[in-house]
Amino acid sequence: MSAKRSDYISWDEYFMGVAHLSGMRSKDPNTQVGACIVSPDNKILSMGYNGFPKGCSDDEFPWERENDNDRNLTKYPFVTHSELNAILNYRGGSLEGTKLYVSLFPCNECAKAIIQAGIRTVVYDSDKYEGTPSNRAAKRMFDAAGVNYVQYRKTGRMIRIEV
Ligand SMILES: Nc1nc(=O)n([C@H]2C[C@H](O)[C@@H](COP(=O)(O)O)O2)cc1CO
Ligand SMILES: [Zn+2]
């Protein structure tokens, strides 16, 4: 009998890896975000990435970050964040007591949805908007609501997948 493999990926690497993979579907030219919701017994319940709502074409809606003079539109009023997409993509019932893995710390709007959906823990990777009003509001609400948020500790493992 041979011993089991020892170089298998950990649960955390698996779920954060899935979150990052999901973010690779994003058409946002500046920031791609992915999220993965996991049950207390380590089952993936849902995934999401940032994009425009159904029916809102990536070729017609703007991906600009700043208003330009003639069109005067940015992506911000239109884009659905990865975390909200992951919550809304779940059609199986309650998300009470689940864990969310996300490649970027949630904004204040997603924080409200996370709290109200009953998600108890957020594992995030980047926090590149740390200190902004939205980021601070999200943390303040998580603290008040008892949602735990922990930064993912990178293991340095490279996961390469040929598709
Ligand atoms: N937690 C998040 N989840 C997300 O899905 N997003 C999305 C909204 C935009 O599509 C993009 C941020 O664009 P930018 O401001 O870095 O060019 O990422 C943003 C955040 C940040 O709070
Ligand atoms: Zn958000």
Side-chain angles (χ1 to χ4, degrees), residues 7 9 18 20 23 25-26 28 34 36 40-41 71 99 101 113 116 121 128 163:
D7 62 343
I9 58 173
V18 164
H20 277 284
R25 282 281 308 155
S26 177
D28 191 319
C36 171
D41 59 345
R71 284 177 65 229
K99 222 196 277 195
Y101 286 75
Q116 295 302 77
T121 303
K128 70 172 177 171
V163 291

PDB file of all heavy atoms in Angstrom, residues 7 9 18 20 23 25-26 28 34 36 40-41 71 99 101 113 116 121 128 163:
ATOM      1  N   ASP A   7       1.596  16.606  -1.036  1.00  0.00           N
ATOM      2  CA  ASP A   7       1.664  17.970  -1.585  1.00  0.00           C
ATOM      3  C   ASP A   7       0.317  18.457  -2.122  1.00  0.00           C
ATOM      4  O   ASP A   7       0.258  19.298  -3.006  1.00  0.00           O
ATOM      5  CB  ASP A   7       2.745  18.057  -2.672  1.00  0.00           C
ATOM      6  CG  ASP A   7       2.451  17.137  -3.846  1.00  0.00           C
ATOM      7  OD1 ASP A   7       1.615  16.222  -3.690  1.00  0.00           O
ATOM      8  OD2 ASP A   7       3.049  17.343  -4.917  1.00  0.00           O
ATOM      9  N   ILE A   9      -3.190  20.555  -2.095  1.00  0.00           N
ATOM     10  CA  ILE A   9      -3.434  21.925  -1.633  1.00  0.00           C
ATOM     11  C   ILE A   9      -4.331  21.914  -0.390  1.00  0.00           C
ATOM     12  O   ILE A   9      -5.171  21.033  -0.219  1.00  0.00           O
ATOM     13  CB  ILE A   9      -4.045  22.822  -2.747  1.00  0.00           C
ATOM     14  CG1 ILE A   9      -5.361  22.281  -3.286  1.00  0.00           C
ATOM     15  CG2 ILE A   9      -3.044  23.039  -3.870  1.00  0.00           C
ATOM     16  CD1 ILE A   9      -6.059  23.231  -4.271  1.00  0.00           C
ATOM     17  N   VAL A  18      -9.884  29.136  -5.921  1.00  0.00           N
ATOM     18  CA  VAL A  18     -11.150  29.171  -6.670  1.00  0.00           C
ATOM     19  C   VAL A  18     -11.645  30.609  -6.791  1.00  0.00           C
ATOM     20  O   VAL A  18     -12.142  31.018  -7.851  1.00  0.00           O
ATOM     21  CB  VAL A  18     -12.203  28.254  -5.984  1.00  0.00           C
ATOM     22  CG1 VAL A  18     -13.601  28.555  -6.464  1.00  0.00           C
ATOM     23  CG2 VAL A  18     -11.864  26.790  -6.239  1.00  0.00           C
ATOM     24  N   HIS A  20      -9.795  33.337  -6.893  1.00  0.00           N
ATOM     25  CA  HIS A  20      -8.958  33.984  -7.908  1.00  0.00           C
ATOM     26  C   HIS A  20      -9.307  33.494  -9.316  1.00  0.00           C
ATOM     27  O   HIS A  20      -9.351  34.281 -10.260  1.00  0.00           O
ATOM     28  CB  HIS A  20      -7.475  33.755  -7.615  1.00  0.00           C
ATOM     29  CG  HIS A  20      -6.918  34.718  -6.610  1.00  0.00           C
ATOM     30  ND1 HIS A  20      -6.622  36.031  -6.916  1.00  0.00           N
ATOM     31  CD2 HIS A  20      -6.625  34.580  -5.295  1.00  0.00           C
ATOM     32  CE1 HIS A  20      -6.162  36.644  -5.840  1.00  0.00           C
ATOM     33  NE2 HIS A  20      -6.155  35.782  -4.839  1.00  0.00           N
ATOM     34  N   GLY A  23     -12.322  35.209 -10.472  1.00  0.00           N
ATOM     35  CA  GLY A  23     -12.017  36.593 -10.855  1.00  0.00           C
ATOM     36  C   GLY A  23     -11.431  36.701 -12.261  1.00  0.00           C
ATOM     37  O   GLY A  23     -11.537  37.753 -12.907  1.00  0.00           O
ATOM     38  N   ARG A  25     -12.604  35.583 -14.817  1.00  0.00           N
ATOM     39  CA  ARG A  25     -13.718  35.746 -15.756  1.00  0.00           C
ATOM     40  C   ARG A  25     -14.095  37.220 -15.929  1.00  0.00           C
ATOM     41  O   ARG A  25     -14.872  37.582 -16.823  1.00  0.00           O
ATOM     42  CB  ARG A  25     -14.955  34.990 -15.238  1.00  0.00           C
ATOM     43  CG  ARG A  25     -14.924  33.502 -15.461  1.00  0.00           C
ATOM     44  CD  ARG A  25     -15.286  33.133 -16.904  1.00  0.00           C
ATOM     45  NE  ARG A  25     -16.544  33.732 -17.351  1.00  0.00           N
ATOM     46  CZ  ARG A  25     -16.852  33.989 -18.620  1.00  0.00           C
ATOM     47  NH1 ARG A  25     -15.990  33.721 -19.586  1.00  0.00           N
ATOM     48  NH2 ARG A  25     -18.012  34.534 -18.922  1.00  0.00           N
ATOM     49  N   SER A  26     -13.594  38.081 -15.031  1.00  0.00           N
ATOM     50  CA  SER A  26     -14.012  39.483 -15.062  1.00  0.00           C
ATOM     51  C   SER A  26     -13.508  40.203 -16.307  1.00  0.00           C
ATOM     52  O   SER A  26     -12.381  39.992 -16.743  1.00  0.00           O
ATOM     53  CB  SER A  26     -13.498  40.203 -13.822  1.00  0.00           C
ATOM     54  OG  SER A  26     -13.845  41.574 -13.893  1.00  0.00           O
ATOM     55  N   ASP A  28     -13.404  43.502 -16.287  1.00  0.00           N
ATOM     56  CA  ASP A  28     -12.917  44.805 -15.820  1.00  0.00           C
ATOM     57  C   ASP A  28     -11.423  44.933 -16.156  1.00  0.00           C
ATOM     58  O   ASP A  28     -10.620  44.111 -15.727  1.00  0.00           O
ATOM     59  CB  ASP A  28     -13.137  44.930 -14.300  1.00  0.00           C
ATOM     60  CG  ASP A  28     -12.889  46.356 -13.799  1.00  0.00           C
ATOM     61  OD1 ASP A  28     -11.922  46.995 -14.267  1.00  0.00           O
ATOM     62  OD2 ASP A  28     -13.652  46.822 -12.933  1.00  0.00           O
ATOM     63  N   GLY A  34     -12.697  38.025  -7.446  1.00  0.00           N
ATOM     64  CA  GLY A  34     -13.438  36.768  -7.407  1.00  0.00           C
ATOM     65  C   GLY A  34     -13.808  36.412  -5.989  1.00  0.00           C
ATOM     66  O   GLY A  34     -13.094  36.768  -5.047  1.00  0.00           O
ATOM     67  N   CYS A  36     -15.856  33.252  -3.382  1.00  0.00           N
ATOM     68  CA  CYS A  36     -16.252  31.850  -3.264  1.00  0.00           C
ATOM     69  C   CYS A  36     -16.875  31.682  -1.867  1.00  0.00           C
ATOM     70  O   CYS A  36     -16.269  32.060  -0.868  1.00  0.00           O
ATOM     71  CB  CYS A  36     -14.984  31.015  -3.417  1.00  0.00           C
ATOM     72  SG  CYS A  36     -15.126  29.279  -3.061  1.00  0.00           S
ATOM     73  N   PRO A  40     -19.906  25.388   6.344  1.00  0.00           N
ATOM     74  CA  PRO A  40     -19.060  25.022   7.493  1.00  0.00           C
ATOM     75  C   PRO A  40     -18.373  23.671   7.304  1.00  0.00           C
ATOM     76  O   PRO A  40     -17.346  23.414   7.921  1.00  0.00           O
ATOM     77  CB  PRO A  40     -20.057  24.975   8.661  1.00  0.00           C
ATOM     78  CG  PRO A  40     -21.194  25.846   8.232  1.00  0.00           C
ATOM     79  CD  PRO A  40     -21.285  25.705   6.735  1.00  0.00           C
ATOM     80  N   ASP A  41     -18.909  22.805   6.451  1.00  0.00           N
ATOM     81  CA  ASP A  41     -18.233  21.525   6.199  1.00  0.00           C
ATOM     82  C   ASP A  41     -17.483  21.505   4.861  1.00  0.00           C
ATOM     83  O   ASP A  41     -17.359  20.467   4.201  1.00  0.00           O
ATOM     84  CB  ASP A  41     -19.189  20.331   6.348  1.00  0.00           C
ATOM     85  CG  ASP A  41     -20.371  20.412   5.397  1.00  0.00           C
ATOM     86  OD1 ASP A  41     -20.616  21.500   4.818  1.00  0.00           O
ATOM     87  OD2 ASP A  41     -21.052  19.386   5.202  1.00  0.00           O
ATOM     88  N   ARG A  71     -18.941  61.257 -23.071  1.00  0.00           N
ATOM     89  CA  ARG A  71     -19.890  60.198 -22.705  1.00  0.00           C
ATOM     90  C   ARG A  71     -20.324  60.275 -21.247  1.00  0.00           C
ATOM     91  O   ARG A  71     -21.431  59.863 -20.885  1.00  0.00           O
ATOM     92  CB  ARG A  71     -19.304  58.829 -23.026  1.00  0.00           C
ATOM     93  CG  ARG A  71     -19.360  58.573 -24.519  1.00  0.00           C
ATOM     94  CD  ARG A  71     -18.728  57.257 -24.919  1.00  0.00           C
ATOM     95  NE  ARG A  71     -19.442  56.105 -24.384  1.00  0.00           N
ATOM     96  CZ  ARG A  71     -18.855  55.102 -23.757  1.00  0.00           C
ATOM     97  NH1 ARG A  71     -17.565  55.098 -23.590  1.00  0.00           N
ATOM     98  NH2 ARG A  71     -19.546  54.089 -23.312  1.00  0.00           N
ATOM     99  N   LYS A  99     -18.739  30.919   5.074  1.00  0.00           N
ATOM    100  CA  LYS A  99     -17.488  31.664   4.992  1.00  0.00           C
ATOM    101  C   LYS A  99     -17.332  32.173   3.563  1.00  0.00           C
ATOM    102  O   LYS A  99     -17.647  31.443   2.617  1.00  0.00           O
ATOM    103  CB  LYS A  99     -16.353  30.676   5.302  1.00  0.00           C
ATOM    104  CG  LYS A  99     -15.277  31.228   6.209  1.00  0.00           C
ATOM    105  CD  LYS A  99     -14.037  30.388   6.173  1.00  0.00           C
ATOM    106  CE  LYS A  99     -14.013  29.169   7.040  1.00  0.00           C
ATOM    107  NZ  LYS A  99     -12.643  28.638   7.179  1.00  0.00           N
ATOM    108  N   TYR A 101     -14.659  33.617   0.782  1.00  0.00           N
ATOM    109  CA  TYR A 101     -13.278  33.876   0.351  1.00  0.00           C
ATOM    110  C   TYR A 101     -13.354  34.876  -0.779  1.00  0.00           C
ATOM    111  O   TYR A 101     -14.116  34.687  -1.732  1.00  0.00           O
ATOM    112  CB  TYR A 101     -12.600  32.589  -0.153  1.00  0.00           C
ATOM    113  CG  TYR A 101     -12.224  31.648   0.954  1.00  0.00           C
ATOM    114  CD1 TYR A 101     -13.192  30.891   1.610  1.00  0.00           C
ATOM    115  CD2 TYR A 101     -10.898  31.516   1.360  1.00  0.00           C
ATOM    116  CE1 TYR A 101     -12.844  30.033   2.647  1.00  0.00           C
ATOM    117  CE2 TYR A 101     -10.542  30.647   2.390  1.00  0.00           C
ATOM    118  CZ  TYR A 101     -11.510  29.917   3.027  1.00  0.00           C
ATOM    119  OH  TYR A 101     -11.167  29.074   4.053  1.00  0.00           O
ATOM    120  N   ALA A 113     -24.652  43.361   2.460  1.00  0.00           N
ATOM    121  CA  ALA A 113     -25.242  42.130   1.924  1.00  0.00           C
ATOM    122  C   ALA A 113     -24.664  40.900   2.635  1.00  0.00           C
ATOM    123  O   ALA A 113     -25.394  39.951   2.950  1.00  0.00           O
ATOM    124  CB  ALA A 113     -25.005  42.047   0.421  1.00  0.00           C
ATOM    125  N   GLN A 116     -26.232  40.717   6.134  1.00  0.00           N
ATOM    126  CA  GLN A 116     -27.645  40.343   6.086  1.00  0.00           C
ATOM    127  C   GLN A 116     -27.868  38.920   5.581  1.00  0.00           C
ATOM    128  O   GLN A 116     -28.879  38.300   5.894  1.00  0.00           O
ATOM    129  CB  GLN A 116     -28.448  41.343   5.238  1.00  0.00           C
ATOM    130  CG  GLN A 116     -28.492  42.756   5.823  1.00  0.00           C
ATOM    131  CD  GLN A 116     -29.072  42.802   7.229  1.00  0.00           C
ATOM    132  OE1 GLN A 116     -28.399  42.450   8.192  1.00  0.00           O
ATOM    133  NE2 GLN A 116     -30.317  43.229   7.352  1.00  0.00           N
ATOM    134  N   THR A 121     -17.822  34.722   8.337  1.00  0.00           N
ATOM    135  CA  THR A 121     -16.377  34.948   8.227  1.00  0.00           C
ATOM    136  C   THR A 121     -16.023  35.371   6.816  1.00  0.00           C
ATOM    137  O   THR A 121     -16.545  34.815   5.849  1.00  0.00           O
ATOM    138  CB  THR A 121     -15.602  33.654   8.574  1.00  0.00           C
ATOM    139  OG1 THR A 121     -15.968  33.245   9.887  1.00  0.00           O
ATOM    140  CG2 THR A 121     -14.093  33.854   8.514  1.00  0.00           C
ATOM    141  N   LYS A 128      -6.285  46.507  -1.050  1.00  0.00           N
ATOM    142  CA  LYS A 128      -5.640  47.667  -1.690  1.00  0.00           C
ATOM    143  C   LYS A 128      -6.403  48.976  -1.497  1.00  0.00           C
ATOM    144  O   LYS A 128      -5.847  50.028  -1.751  1.00  0.00           O
ATOM    145  CB  LYS A 128      -5.371  47.404  -3.174  1.00  0.00           C
ATOM    146  CG  LYS A 128      -6.582  47.349  -4.091  1.00  0.00           C
ATOM    147  CD  LYS A 128      -6.111  47.285  -5.551  1.00  0.00           C
ATOM    148  CE  LYS A 128      -7.284  47.152  -6.510  1.00  0.00           C
ATOM    149  NZ  LYS A 128      -6.888  47.296  -7.906  1.00  0.00           N
ATOM    150  N   VAL A 163      -5.159  24.562 -19.454  1.00  0.00           N
ATOM    151  CA  VAL A 163      -6.551  24.333 -19.863  1.00  0.00           C
ATOM    152  C   VAL A 163      -6.659  24.196 -21.374  1.00  0.00           C
ATOM    153  O   VAL A 163      -5.748  24.544 -22.095  1.00  0.00           O
ATOM    154  CB  VAL A 163      -7.488  25.451 -19.359  1.00  0.00           C
ATOM    155  CG1 VAL A 163      -7.639  25.379 -17.870  1.00  0.00           C
ATOM    156  CG2 VAL A 163      -6.980  26.820 -19.777  1.00  0.00           C
TER     157      VAL A 163
END
